[in-house]
Amino acid sequence: MAPVVPKRLEGRKVAAVACFDSFGKLAMTLLAACRREGAETTLHLLELNNRALSRRQRLEIRRIDPRTPIEKHNWSDLQNLCSPMAGDVDALILGLDGQRSRDALLQLHGAWGHSTTRPRLISAYPGILFRFALEGMLDRSGADLLCLNSQQDLSTYQKGCAALGLDSSNAVVTGLPILWRTHPRAEFPENPSIVFFEQPSIPVHPLQRRFVCEQLRDLSAAWPNHPVIFKPRTSSIESTLHRRHGEMASVIDTMSHQQTNLKLSFKPATQLLRKCGCAITVSSTAALESMAMGISTRIVGDLGVTETLGNHFFADSGAIANFAAIRDNPFEVLHNNRWLQAQGWNPEGDSRFIEALASRLQMAPTPLSSSDLGPTSWGSEAWQRTALSNGGRRMLSSGGARSSQRKRHHTRRIIRTVRDSVVGFGWLSKLLRK
């Protein structure tokens, strides 16, 4: 009988903190990989003011790994929650957006001081790095292990670190975690559906969004024997990281009264993809999941290919098409699998992640900082001290994006608003400009 191979994280404790549903799913995916290797795992969902996750969103997170317990806390409790982890928890996953990753690192420095028994910090991103890619990676650069989607992301990160004279060895290419356990479908579904996956803030303009809705109506008329499903990113009462527009769902709902095969569905994306014959989106990560399952995938090209839309990420995928072409040929698989494998689909990604984490757990962690500041990838010590003294932790965690931190700026902003509203009124405008 072959000897039992010990699991790589046996006896270890791994926790995660997360805000928002997509980051919760990311954190749970990483925790599930750790639990399968023997670790004891816990997910802490941190609720922001008036932005709590809905029951549906929490259930989708729980489905990823029902054996990992979930605890709820407020974001304001982060430091008190994490302080006792030093010496007890081996690794902490930060399932947070860039700004809150910075904020968390500053708070954890205060919680753990210069402790050498602190948990190793792990950070990753739940989707495609198609805008502010380097900025997003540098926001998370204070982590001991930074999981990246592709070799291209790693190259960008290495160049950014090299320009600042920093070490980039904390980064490892693991592929997109949500694709780790995604495999091509064995069978093509009977009477397959056509599914459009919405994003909360893309397209930006109301006219663009109305155009997409009308094209979906025409698509459903062209294929009356196939369900054409509109999958909203969230319902109107649910929160997301990015501000959602939301009216597309109501427009589709109205159109569905006349076009009976046009439907709304809030089912999880993975569940919809099982019976999907064509997945359509502007630039959602669901497109990568669809491609990895071998499903015909189309990236909307009618509105152009731009960074604002995010569909420039898919420029070499072979999947960009306008709605006229989609109506003519929705079910043929056109995407380039080699492109997909280079941009995030790595079936061995969970093993690479576990290997990288186990390696870091063998080394004593270094103090987070020797100067009570964030990593120098956020700016020089002089800038960081200026930011902290003029706007506190919130100023530094925003990367300087918030220029109006002190009350003295409020009056200036009011004057600016009044001035701008009376431009063209001659002497009054001139007076206000003084």
Side-chain angles (χ1 to χ4, degrees):
M1 187 174 179
V4 177
V5 178
K7 295 184 176 181
R8 288 175 283 184
L9 298 182
E10 195 74 52
R12 300 288 191 176
K13 284 187 179 180
V14 182
V17 293
C19 297
F20 305 108
D21 59 332
S22 58
F23 287 95
K25 292 174 185 176
L26 164 75
M28 187 62 96
T29 300
L30 297 179
L31 286 173
C34 294
R35 189 189 57 73
R36 287 192 293 270
E37 285 296 326
E40 178 185 336
T41 55
T42 307
L43 172 62
H44 302 278
L45 287 179
L46 305 181
E47 297 184 350
L48 305 171
N49 291 337
N50 303 317
R51 301 185 75 177
L53 297 180
S54 69
R55 181 175 180 274
R56 183 187 69 85
Q57 289 173 315
R58 293 196 305 272
L59 284 174
E60 286 194 19
I61 293 170
R62 184 177 293 281
R63 281 193 198 102
I64 295 172
D65 187 19
R67 294 175 62 182
T68 291
I70 298 177
E71 299 180 7
K72 292 192 293 183
H73 308 269
N74 292 320
W75 169 257
S76 57
D77 295 334
L78 175 67
Q79 191 162 335
N80 292 333
L81 171 68
C82 295
S83 290
M85 291 183 182
D88 181 52
V89 173
D90 296 287
L92 177 64
I93 297 166
L94 302 179
L96 306 170
D97 58 281
Q99 178 185 325
R100 289 178 183 82
S101 292
R102 286 189 177 214
D103 196 354
L105 285 167
L106 291 172
Q107 291 192 58
L108 294 176
H109 186 281
W112 298 334
H114 301 291
S115 172
T116 56
T117 60
R118 66 169 179 83
R120 282 56 159 194
L121 294 175
I122 304 161
S123 188
Y125 194 77
I128 302 166
L129 289 166
F130 59 74
R131 283 192 295 181
F132 312 115
L134 180 58
E135 183 176 335
M137 289 185 272
L138 292 180
D139 283 341
R140 299 165 172 83
S141 59
D144 301 287
L145 178 58
L146 177 60
C147 300
L148 299 179
N149 296 347
S150 67
Q151 189 62 41
Q152 181 178 325
D153 290 341
L154 177 61
S155 177
T156 299
Y157 180 66
Q158 289 173 332
K159 289 176 184 177
C161 288
L164 295 168
L166 303 175
D167 181 19
S168 60
S169 62
N170 64 330
V172 61
V173 177
T174 62
L176 194 59
I178 66 165
L179 301 182
W180 284 348
R181 300 178 76 79
T182 302
H183 305 286
R185 288 186 312 199
E187 297 178 359
F188 191 78
E190 186 178 346
N191 191 35
S193 60
I194 300 172
V195 186
F196 179 87
F197 292 91
E198 184 203 29
Q199 293 160 267
S201 57
I202 296 173
V204 175
H205 199 279
L207 187 60
Q208 293 175 320
R209 297 194 291 275
R210 180 75 192 197
F211 172 83
V212 170
C213 291
E214 291 172 348
Q215 294 300 312
L216 290 172
R217 179 198 59 200
D218 295 346
L219 178 62
S220 62
W223 293 87
N225 296 323
H226 293 266
V228 177
I229 299 171
F230 182 91
K231 167 66 169 75
R233 175 64 178 80
T234 58
S235 73
S236 59
I237 62 171
E238 293 174 333
S239 64
T240 57
L241 172 61
H242 302 289
R243 184 176 70 87
R244 69 184 299 274
H245 298 301
E247 79 276 10
M248 288 179 75
S250 60
V251 172
I252 292 291
D253 188 44
T254 300
M255 290 178 172
S256 67
H257 298 318
Q258 286 78 41
Q259 196 66 48
T260 56
N261 65 322
L262 181 61
K263 308 171 186 295
L264 280 177
S265 177
F266 288 93
K267 291 180 180 179
T270 303
Q271 189 173 338
L272 290 174
L273 286 171
R274 289 179 194 142
K275 297 184 178 180
C276 177
C278 177
I280 307 170
T281 186
V282 176
S283 56
S284 170
T285 304
L288 295 181
E289 192 172 355
S290 169
M291 291 178 185
M293 292 176 69
I295 297 169
S296 171
T297 307
R298 299 292 186 271
I299 306 300
V300 175
D302 292 82
L303 308 175
V305 176
T306 67
E307 287 86 354
T308 300
L309 294 169
N311 56 3
H312 71 292
F313 177 88
F314 295 91
D316 294 330
S317 69
I320 293 179
N322 59 37
F323 271 104
I326 297 172
R327 284 194 298 273
D328 289 342
N329 179 22
F331 300 117
E332 182 184 357
V333 176
L334 300 176
H335 65 263
N336 184 329
N337 263 325
R338 283 187 297 177
W339 174 89
L340 175 62
Q341 291 164 0
Q343 295 300 327
W345 185 32
N346 186 342
E348 304 299 323
D350 53 349
S351 181
R352 296 189 68 178
F353 161 64
I354 294 296
E355 182 181 340
L357 175 57
S359 172
R360 281 154 179 79
L361 288 172
Q362 298 302 317
M363 301 180 288
T366 57
L368 287 180
S369 173
S370 59
S371 57
D372 297 327
L373 303 173
T376 52
S377 52
W378 297 358
S380 67
E381 288 193 12
W383 155 247
Q384 291 195 44
R385 294 192 186 281
T386 299
L388 288 171
S389 62
N390 283 271
R393 199 179 69 234
R394 192 169 180 227
M395 180 64 182
L396 184 54
S397 65
S398 71
R402 291 180 175 85
S403 61
S404 302
Q405 295 294 322
R406 285 191 169 185
K407 290 184 178 180
R408 67 168 183 254
H409 293 308
H410 293 177
T411 303
R412 190 181 304 166
R413 192 168 65 249
I414 292 170
I415 292 174
R416 229 182 253 127
T417 302
V418 175
R419 182 197 72 198
D420 291 344
S421 67
V422 296
V423 169
F425 281 79
W427 66 269
L428 183 57
S429 175
K430 185 177 181 180
L431 177 65
L432 289 170
R433 286 181 183 279
K434 291 182 179 179

